[in-house]
């Protein structure tokens, strides 16, 4: 909602500071930043909902480490276009600077278009992306574990002491063969927290075997319960306990003084999020051709999609599924709801909202989701920057605290403590023979 009068800068540090300080005031576990390797395009032009000038996530979080005390700091970084030593060192440095509050959201990058920004170029097939990601994670963990907890002692009288072999590492796999001495001693939380969000079969297997936290897109109750059960079951098959893997679905919250006010507000937000031109661009992804001559307040196209193998959008998450099937389903949806316009159909299928109601109602639903196994918690996605968390922290958090289902103060100092994660297993203990 960048065009909303209340929306601030998406790139100024003040915006990140406000969001992080608000989240910490609300006693959130961590502050989570996405990352983009290239500006997204639509018909050769920069996509209107991308952010030009977005700073590097690790750089922003390093700055936030200096002005926050307890909240975790999670950065997204790709395992496709980085190298283990370099990225592991950056994340370990953030972990040291923040006294054990760092997390890495590991992602893979799927296309040659993104790869043009990098020396290696091209792209890896899906099976190789995940194979490389598994090796990348194992190599990073080998580096992070190369210093024992008591391997480094600095004493004013006795001098600096490092145990023999401290920091030595040797990792060899198909994609990486690295050895040397890691420069960053062991993390105050033993090892940075690993987050993963892939939802394909390969992604789920990777997350179940290696992640500490799953960032899930299944925020709805029934879908959330199914995903939760699936991931906990997969983790068990990899020899892991339920406590070793936290499932955190992405959700939104729209709060009003009354239920009617909240629903009116939610409907207004959806229309703000799907502008007329954005609605056209969304439908163009399915129809595969320029639709700028259509009226967004008119009907969907009455002709079939074009499927010539080209993509009208680059770098955007594609609207999944068979184009002809999607076109048919959307026309049926429009008819079933009394003749929805093109823009109204996009709002229905794309502008998902999770919790809508009074602060009490939102708290009720969140409590039910966690109690019934639809998630271990939530990743809250605000619709405004930088004030999008203010209402939730001021109105919903106190209710959850009064009920005794959410902390009133941080009990620990590290992110692992906030998430109630057990001590990590030694590097290599997560190896799996499952083909991904």
């Amino acid at each position: 909602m960048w065009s909303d009068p209340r929306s601030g800068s998406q790139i100024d540090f003040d915006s990140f500071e406000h969001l992080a300080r608000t989240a910490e005031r609300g006693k959130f576990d961590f502050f989570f930043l996405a990352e983009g390797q290239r500006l997204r395009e639509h018909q050769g032009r920069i996509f209107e909902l991308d952010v030009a000038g977005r700073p590097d996530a690790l750089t922003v979080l390093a700055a936030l480490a200096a002005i926050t005390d307890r909240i975790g700091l999670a950065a997204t970084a790709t395992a496709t276009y980085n190298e283990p030593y370099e990225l592991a060192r950056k994340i370990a440095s953030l972990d040291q600077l923040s006294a054990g509050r760092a997390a890495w959201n590991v992602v893979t990058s799927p296309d040659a278009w993104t790869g043009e920004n990098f020396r290696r170029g091209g792209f890896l097939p899906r099976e190789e992306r995940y194979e490389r990601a598994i090796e990348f994670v194992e190599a990073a963990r080998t580096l992070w574990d190369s210093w024992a907890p008591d391997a480094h002692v600095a004493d004013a009288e006795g001098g600096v002491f490092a145990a023999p072999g401290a920091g030595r590492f040797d990792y060899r796999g198909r994609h990486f063969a690295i050895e040397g001495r890691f420069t960053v001693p062991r993390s105050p939380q033993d090892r940075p927290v690993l987050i993963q969000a892939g939802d394909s079969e390969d992604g789920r297997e990777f997350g179940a075997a290696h992640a500490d936290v799953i960032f899930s897109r299944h925020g709805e109750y029934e879908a959330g319960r199914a995903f939760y059960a699936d991931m906990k079951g997969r983790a068990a098959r990899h020899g892991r306990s339920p406590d070793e893997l936290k499932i955190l679905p992405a959700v939104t919250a729209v709060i009003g003084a009354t239920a009617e006010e909240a629903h009116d507000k939610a409907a207004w937000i959806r229309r703000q999020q799907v502008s007329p031109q954005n609605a056209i661009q969304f439908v163009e992804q399915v129809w595969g051709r320029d639709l700028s001559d259509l009226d967004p307040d008119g009907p969907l196209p009455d002709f079939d999609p074009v499927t010539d193998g080209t993509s009208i959008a680059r770098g955007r998450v594609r609207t999944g599924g068979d184009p002809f099937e999607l076109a048919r389903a959307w026309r049926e949806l429009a008819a079933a709801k009394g003749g929805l316009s093109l823009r109204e159909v996009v709002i229905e299928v794309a502008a998902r909202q999770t919790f809508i109601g009074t602060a009490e109602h939102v708290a009720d639903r969140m409590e039910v989701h966690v109690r019934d196994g639809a998630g271990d918690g939530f990743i809250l996605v605000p619709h405004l920057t930088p004030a999008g968390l203010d209402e939730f922290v001021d109105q919903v958090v106190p209710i959850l605290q009064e009920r005794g289902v959410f902390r009133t103060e941080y009990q620990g100092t590290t992110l692992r403590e906030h998430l109630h994660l057990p001590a990590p297993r030694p590097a290599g203990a997560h190896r799996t023979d499952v083909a991904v």
Side-chain angles (χ1 to χ4, degrees):
M1 288 181 60
W2 63 267
S3 61
D4 189 284
R6 297 168 298 164
S7 181
S9 172
Q10 302 277 335
I11 62 175
D12 287 351
F13 183 70
D14 287 351
S15 293
F16 296 106
E17 179 181 5
H18 182 94
L19 282 163
R21 286 191 185 278
T22 303
E24 188 166 64
R25 177 166 61 85
K27 313 303 178 188
F28 285 23
D29 294 321
F30 59 88
F31 179 63
F32 183 23
L33 286 179
E35 183 63 289
Q37 297 295 324
R38 183 168 179 172
L39 285 170
R40 295 171 292 173
E41 295 180 5
H42 189 90
Q43 295 201 66
R45 298 185 296 272
I46 294 175
F47 180 50
E48 68 162 26
L49 297 185
D50 212 331
V51 180
R54 182 200 318 219
D56 173 75
L58 281 165
T59 304
V60 173
L61 295 178
L64 291 175
I67 60 169
T68 56
D69 296 314
R70 296 294 183 88
I71 192 164
L73 304 166
T76 300
T78 180
T80 304
Y81 297 120
N82 281 296
E83 295 297 322
Y85 184 90
E86 181 183 23
L87 184 57
R89 184 167 181 254
K90 290 179 178 179
I91 296 170
S93 298
L94 176 64
D95 216 21
Q96 291 287 349
L97 291 170
S98 64
R101 295 187 279 139
W104 170 29
N105 176 40
V106 55
V107 297
T108 63
S109 300
D111 58 272
W113 180 76
T114 299
E116 290 173 357
N117 276 359
F118 297 88
R119 182 182 62 190
R120 184 168 63 254
F123 70 104
L124 295 172
R126 175 181 292 275
E127 62 275 10
E128 290 191 40
R129 292 204 312 273
Y130 277 102
E131 181 183 87
R132 188 179 200 274
I134 289 172
E135 282 196 19
F136 200 119
V137 167
E138 290 181 339
R141 283 175 163 161
T142 298
L143 295 165
W144 292 333
D145 289 355
S146 63
W147 288 82
D150 57 352
H152 180 260
V153 178
D155 181 81
E157 295 182 2
V160 176
F161 167 76
R168 290 285 184 192
F169 65 87
D170 187 348
Y171 181 87
R172 298 186 183 278
R174 179 188 169 201
H175 293 270
F176 308 108
I178 56 175
E179 62 179 305
R181 175 165 268 172
F182 195 48
T183 59
V184 187
R186 199 173 188 87
S187 162
Q189 61 175 340
D190 281 328
R191 186 191 293 158
V193 170
L194 188 74
I195 304 172
Q196 189 268 347
D199 196 34
S200 65
E201 179 66 21
D202 293 342
R204 291 191 185 202
E205 279 298 302
F206 174 67
H210 299 276
D212 299 306
V213 172
I214 299 294
F215 173 32
S216 161
R217 66 183 179 88
H218 301 288
E220 300 84 4
Y221 178 80
E222 293 297 342
R225 291 188 67 196
F227 181 81
Y228 185 94
D230 179 61
M231 292 306 298
K232 296 286 185 172
R234 288 174 189 255
R237 292 195 291 275
H238 286 282
R240 306 180 69 192
S241 72
D243 288 341
E244 289 184 73
L245 185 64
K246 306 298 183 183
I247 311 299
L248 304 180
V251 300
T252 61
V254 182
I255 304 160
T258 65
E260 182 181 12
E261 178 185 305
H263 281 277
D264 287 345
K265 186 178 179 181
W268 178 81
I269 289 171
R270 289 196 297 270
R271 290 192 68 81
Q272 291 291 306
Q273 289 174 325
V274 182
S275 67
Q277 59 267 42
N278 186 236
I280 292 290
Q281 291 175 350
F282 190 88
V283 174
E284 284 176 338
Q285 287 191 84
V286 174
W287 262 261
R289 53 158 288 182
D290 187 330
L291 300 175
S292 58
D293 57 334
L294 292 184
D295 179 2
D297 293 319
L300 287 165
D302 58 3
F303 46 83
D304 287 334
V306 174
T307 55
D308 59 2
T310 61
S311 177
I312 203 166
R314 308 190 78 180
R316 296 174 61 187
V317 177
R318 292 179 177 84
T319 303
D322 176 77
F324 297 100
E325 178 60 27
L326 280 173
R328 183 194 61 77
W330 289 2
R331 288 178 181 132
E332 290 179 356
L333 173 66
K337 296 213 168 185
L340 296 180
S341 69
L342 181 152
R343 184 183 180 195
E344 288 169 336
V345 168
V346 175
I347 289 171
E348 286 284 328
V349 301
R352 297 188 183 95
Q353 292 168 312
T354 319
F355 302 115
I356 304 171
T358 64
E360 285 278 354
H361 175 78
V362 170
D364 288 344
R365 296 311 305 164
M366 285 188 152
E367 192 173 350
V368 167
H369 274 233
V370 174
R371 183 195 67 201
D372 293 356
D376 291 308
F378 306 95
I379 293 181
L380 195 64
V381 184
H383 65 275
L384 278 179
T385 298
L389 293 177
D390 293 9
E391 279 188 331
F392 185 90
V393 168
D394 292 336
Q395 298 182 41
V396 179
V397 167
I399 296 171
L400 296 171
Q401 291 172 329
E402 288 170 8
R403 296 178 182 182
V405 296
F406 190 64
R407 67 170 69 91
T408 55
E409 295 294 339
Y410 290 107
Q411 301 302 309
T413 59
T414 70
L415 180 53
R416 282 190 178 276
E417 290 173 312
H418 300 344
L419 293 168
H420 303 290
L421 287 167
R425 302 184 187 192
H430 289 280
R431 281 185 178 274
T432 175
D433 292 329
V434 176
V436 296

